[in-house]
Amino acid sequence: MLGNVLAAICAVTWAFTVMGYRWLAARGASVAAAAVSGNLTAGTIALVMAQPLVAGRPVDWTVVVFLGVCQLGIPYLFLARAVPRVRALEVGLFLLIEPVLNPIWAWLVHGETPGPATLAGGAVILGATAGRMLLDVRQAPRESRVSIVASARY
């Protein structure tokens, strides 16, 4: 039960994060600076909660640095560039691809079988993404026709 409550809180706070990034971008503020400050805050809190630390091997620190750069750093650069240009719904749906794929990776790598709730959640996310794409495809020809007619008038 606690895990479900924490997952729900995480989802809501992430939604506020995406909305906050869009709000900052609309005002010309740096999304990257907000991401860096948010991650530094989260890292500091996690470091305090992780005490006492045990010594790690060099390979452990290499993995931590690799994951920090490749799993967090580079994607945040892309996110900071995309947020001002893409609608919040699309950013949110795109960012949900990782949680949708995590059960698939766990199944492929560890043989874990996803439960019904996991499959239902993935179906909702993929269905919303597909629905959004279909709406965009249907609206694109109409918008291009309007712009062609408008440009022909002027």
Side-chain angles (χ1 to χ4, degrees), residues 10-86:
C10 182
V12 170
T13 57
W14 183 246
F16 282 124
T17 300
V18 172
M19 291 185 326
Y21 286 167
R22 293 282 300 168
W23 183 82
L24 288 171
R27 282 149 186 76
S30 172
V31 174
V36 168
S37 64
N39 280 296
L40 286 175
T41 302
T44 302
I45 292 169
L47 182 63
V48 169
M49 293 177 67
Q51 297 303 317
L53 291 177
V54 295
R57 301 171 300 169
V59 70
D60 298 329
W61 289 107
T62 303
V63 168
V64 168
V65 169
F66 174 78
L67 290 175
V69 170
C70 294
Q71 188 179 15
L72 289 176
I74 294 170
Y76 265 115
L77 289 174
F78 290 132
L79 179 67
R81 300 265 325 222
V83 164
R85 296 171 178 85
V86 181

Side-chain angles (χ1 to χ4, degrees), residues 82-127:
V83 164
R85 296 171 178 85
V86 181
R87 293 181 293 221
L89 174 66
E90 291 167 343
V91 171
L93 288 174
F94 181 73
L95 292 172
L96 289 173
I97 295 298
E98 181 188 8
V100 168
L101 293 178
N102 281 341
I104 295 170
W105 303 139
W107 172 64
L108 290 173
V109 174
H110 298 291
E112 294 180 17
T113 304
T118 302
L119 294 173
V124 167
I125 292 168
L126 291 175

